[in-house]
Amino acid sequence: MLGVLGKWAFYGIFRCPYLIPFVNCANCPVITCWGRIPAYSMGIWTLLPLSAFLFGRTFCGWLCPTGYINQLLGTLARFKLPLRGWHLRLGQAGMILSLTAALIIYIGFDNPRVMVPIRIGDFWNSIYLSVEHASWIWLFRTGIVLSLIGASVCIANLWCRFICPMGGLLETIKRVSLFGFTKTKSCNDCDACLRKCEMSTRPDEANCTNCGACLSVCPQKAIRFGRRQRHD
């Protein structure tokens, strides 16, 4: 996924004329934009909510290229957030806030174009032209994105745990998902899984992405994958 969408992500950050990248690609008049290629396969994106109903946030744990980059940056992070704390649970509201903001911009403001979609020149020159002809709104949006990338080097997994709007949507849907990793009655709360998890959570709890990394570290073999049962 990183190989397929890497160039697309570059266009989304620096070249997309819309305030929210990727969601208006089919309507964009620039036929040379890389983003138009995935736009013709929107069926792939409609499968994400379906996958969440079946397997929770599995997309986040197995396929998301942004999540992979986030984890790579997290290995360099000097500040590791505490594993537990009420303020961390409160921080997860940021995902819902960013999702709400995206919906307001897309539905309420019709996702306005905030930059002339220039597609000429070499790599650095094209970025220069984008910045030169952009409005302050686009500059503000791009500045936020770049700041979050920088912050991910300081605070591990910042984006995936507290900000990602897609993660917020899938986190909401996964509450009714059918399958996933769960704890059994054998769990003694040793938190070995918590210390192993990149998202600093436990199976079937908030921010669990069903990656399965915890399965091999549980000394009680108290983690299973299957139909979710609330009262194991």
Side-chain angles (χ1 to χ4, degrees), residues 140-161:
F140 180 72
R141 183 264 284 178
T142 304
I144 290 178
V145 173
L146 295 178
S147 297
L148 289 174
I149 294 175
S152 296
V153 181
C154 301
I155 303 176
N157 302 313
L158 175 69
W159 172 260
C160 292
R161 292 182 66 186

Side-chain angles (χ1 to χ4, degrees), residues 2-228:
L2 181 63
V4 171
L5 298 182
K7 188 174 181 180
W8 192 39
F10 162 74
Y11 270 93
I13 295 175
F14 293 109
R15 311 309 312 281
C16 183
Y18 294 106
L19 190 57
I20 302 179
F22 309 137
V23 296
N24 284 92
C25 295
N27 300 323
C28 186
V30 184
I31 62 174
T32 57
C33 178
W34 182 262
R36 288 179 66 88
I37 298 176
Y40 291 121
S41 303
M42 289 303 292
I44 296 176
W45 304 115
T46 60
L47 292 177
L48 289 183
L50 177 60
S51 72
F53 279 117
L54 292 174
F55 303 108
R57 287 181 64 179
T58 302
F59 174 79
C60 300
W62 287 88
L63 293 174
C64 180
T66 304
Y68 178 62
I69 294 174
N70 178 77
Q71 290 189 13
L72 289 180
L73 294 175
T75 61
L76 304 175
R78 295 188 175 183
F79 181 64
K80 305 291 185 180
L81 290 174
L83 298 180
R84 291 286 187 181
W86 64 268
H87 57 291
L88 298 182
R89 297 181 64 87
L90 183 63
Q92 291 169 352
M95 293 190 294
I96 303 301
L97 291 176
S98 60
L99 176 61
T100 302
L103 291 174
I104 291 174
I105 293 172
Y106 181 67
I107 299 175
F109 295 95
D110 198 26
N111 196 19
R113 281 173 53 162
V114 292
M115 182 186 73
V116 177
I118 301 171
R119 300 284 181 242
I120 60 174
D122 55 25
F123 180 83
W124 294 111
N125 189 50
S126 64
I127 295 178
Y128 171 79
L129 290 173
S130 297
V131 174
E132 183 181 36
H133 293 273
S135 70
W136 71 268
I137 300 177
W138 182 89
L139 293 172
F140 180 72
R141 183 264 284 178
T142 304
I144 290 178
V145 173
L146 295 178
S147 297
L148 289 174
I149 294 175
S152 296
V153 181
C154 301
I155 303 176
N157 302 313
L158 175 69
W159 172 260
C160 292
R161 292 182 66 186
F162 303 114
I163 301 171
C164 178
M166 177 60 72
L169 175 62
L170 299 183
E171 184 72 28
T172 301
I173 296 176
K174 84 167 191 181
R175 299 177 187 276
V176 295
S177 62
L178 297 178
F179 303 96
F181 286 97
T182 57
K183 302 184 294 294
T184 70
K185 291 185 295 185
S186 301
C187 177
N188 63 356
D189 295 323
C190 70
D191 284 343
C193 55
L194 185 68
R195 292 187 291 272
K196 174 68 174 179
C197 181
E198 292 281 352
M199 299 288 283
S200 297
T201 188
R202 305 198 303 176
D204 204 27
E205 295 184 0
N207 273 334
C208 175
T209 62
N210 279 335
C211 69
C214 57
L215 198 60
S216 62
V217 300
C218 179
Q220 301 298 317
K221 304 300 180 184
I223 301 173
R224 69 172 182 88
F225 180 84
R227 182 86 179 227
R228 293 178 65 194

